[in-house]
Amino acid sequence: MKFTDILSTEQFKRSDIELIMKFAAKFEPYAQKKKQGAMLAGKIMASLFYEPSTRTRLSFETAMKRLGGDVITAVGMEYSSIAKGETLADTARTIEKFADVIVVRHPLIGSAREMAEAVKIPVINAGDGAGEHPTQALLDIYTIKKERGKIDGLTIAMVGDLKHSRTIHSFVNLLRHYDVKLIFVAPDELKIPKEYLKKLDEKRLKYEEISDLRLACKKSDVIYMTRIQKERFSNLREYEQLKNSYVMSRGLIEKINPKAIVMHPLPRVGEISLDMDDFKGSAYFRQVENGVAVRMGILSLISQ
Ligand code: NCD
């Protein structure tokens, strides 16, 4: 594969995922602040975040800077020319004159693709609305491999807002390249879109949709929690009714499956209780650290 744009996890074969994992592992000492690199010296990444972000933006920017590259930033639609009515394609054409790679987060599905089609420099999708978040899914796979030593043979539960969570959509797309069993736990209103189940059927992978978190915990090696995505609801009353659907607590996991790994893309807003933080299987802050190494891998592959 030629690593240019990273727009959707649909673009990856298993061998691509493995290559990114290999590259990421190489960059761990840099991500862990033990080494400073110069591989990306002279390169500029444009970081365009038109939706809130802490981890993804700062993780990409850290990855770039610790490998010697530089960053230019536009944050918040209200401060950019998009507020004046500029199209994403024109914004991309402008940024192409400044930067070597574009990382973009935007509320519209397909936004990163729209930019990529307008320019020759690589564009990385850092979250397109309720669409996809490919680099998060890559770091999630990397984290499971690190925590468990493998992906094949595992049972992985996904819990929460499976309808709107772009991290879930991308995660399922990548996991279908492995021999996994998936368990989906969501309120009726927030179930995983059928298209993703269809893709699992095509691969003859086993999955089940259940509503009982305790049962899911019992059966799973990895439990991936998600936030109910408030910003995707047109009716906030519906959000209020659903927001506390599932909560992972220390009492629950210690009793039911103390060996499980618990993941979350963060931010959490109540669905993982604070007493989970020193549970040894809680991997959500380790995911953050792994994210820098994975993004270093991606940026260096793209810049080759
Ligand atoms: C996620 C996102 O933005 O999709 N966060 C992240 O990038 N780590 C998850 C979320 O916002 O719930």
Side-chain angles (χ1 to χ4, degrees):
M1 153 173 190
K2 190 171 179 317
F3 279 83
T4 49
D5 304 314
I6 295 190
L7 302 176
S8 160
T9 41
E10 290 280 349
Q11 76 191 73
F12 296 121
K13 301 194 294 284
R14 179 161 169 157
S15 56
D16 299 320
I17 305 169
E18 306 288 323
L19 179 67
I20 295 172
M21 303 295 114
K22 227 171 86 189
F23 261 68
K26 227 174 58 182
F27 285 112
E28 280 210 353
Y30 300 89
Q32 291 165 4
K33 304 189 268 187
K34 293 174 191 147
K35 268 180 156 178
Q36 171 67 30
M39 302 77 162
L40 298 180
K43 302 277 184 194
I44 291 181
M45 178 185 94
S47 163
L48 311 180
F49 281 75
Y50 302 122
E51 259 195 349
S53 170
T54 299
R55 268 153 296 274
T56 306
R57 180 167 72 85
L58 296 181
S59 164
F60 263 113
E61 295 186 1
T62 302
M64 197 69 192
K65 288 185 179 234
R66 288 202 186 278
L67 295 184
D70 219 329
V71 177
I72 52 174
T73 311
V75 178
M77 239 177 303
E78 63 275 34
Y79 302 113
S80 70
S81 282
I82 290 183
K84 301 181 192 166
E86 183 167 67
T87 62
L88 279 172
D90 276 359
T91 297
R93 286 182 194 110
T94 303
I95 290 172
E96 186 176 30
K97 304 290 179 215
F98 311 140
D100 303 286
V101 53
I102 293 176
V103 175
V104 61
R105 169 172 291 185
H106 188 281
L108 287 181
I109 294 180
S111 46
R113 189 172 300 278
E114 208 175 310
M115 290 187 117
E117 278 165 6
V119 294
K120 290 202 176 63
I121 59 171
V123 175
I124 301 176
N125 179 5
D128 59 330
E132 281 217 50
H133 193 348
T135 63
Q136 177 71 40
L138 288 161
L139 79 86
D140 292 337
I141 296 276
Y142 186 80
T143 299
I144 298 177
K145 262 206 155 133
K146 249 183 99 171
E147 300 278 328
R148 280 288 153 124
K150 59 172 190 176
I151 308 285
D152 288 319
L154 296 180
T155 298
I156 299 170
M158 299 178 203
V159 183
D161 188 346
L162 308 185
K163 178 181 176 191
H164 302 113
S165 284
R166 52 197 176 199
T167 66
I168 292 292
H169 305 160
S170 292
F171 195 35
V172 172
N173 272 347
L174 292 189
L175 284 171
R176 76 201 154 114
H177 297 295
Y178 295 85
D179 179 20
V180 288
K181 185 171 172 220
L182 302 183
I183 299 180
F184 299 109
V185 187
D188 277 348
E189 297 83 345
L190 301 175
K191 282 180 152 181
I192 182 105
K194 288 270 177 288
E195 58 186 282
Y196 292 95
L197 300 182
K198 222 174 112 201
K199 290 187 223 179
L200 296 173
D201 288 333
E202 279 160 17
K203 289 275 193 175
R204 294 179 196 284
L205 287 173
K206 287 205 185 117
Y207 62 84
E208 52 183 322
E209 291 186 275
I210 60 179
S211 55
D212 183 353
L213 177 59
R214 302 171 79 85
L215 183 61
C217 286
K218 197 165 158 191
K219 293 179 166 193
S220 304
D221 303 291
V222 177
I223 300 138
Y224 191 104
M225 303 294 296
T226 62
R227 171 178 72 88
I228 308 297
Q229 309 273 300
K230 184 178 183 182
E231 65 276 36
R232 311 289 174 222
F233 283 78
S234 47
N235 177 351
L236 277 185
R237 280 226 338 252
E238 193 187 359
Y239 165 75
E240 291 295 333
Q241 277 158 13
L242 295 170
K243 72 176 180 191
N244 295 321
S245 301
Y246 295 104
V247 177
M248 176 63 78
S249 70
R250 185 75 180 251
L252 187 148
I253 199 75
E254 292 272 21
K255 190 160 158 233
I256 294 182
N257 190 351
K259 291 207 173 96
I261 303 294
V262 176
M263 297 174 65
H264 193 302
L266 301 178
R268 63 174 156 183
V269 286
E271 59 282 343
I272 294 190
S273 64
L274 296 181
D275 62 5
M276 283 294 296
D277 290 0
D278 50 7
F279 171 66
K280 69 178 183 326
S282 288
Y284 32 93
F285 289 110
R286 297 195 285 275
Q287 279 169 266
V288 177
E289 181 173 89
N290 294 336
V292 179
V294 168
R295 292 185 172 112
M296 284 175 168
I298 289 168
L299 288 168
S300 63
L301 276 163
I302 276 179
S303 308
Q304 274 181 349

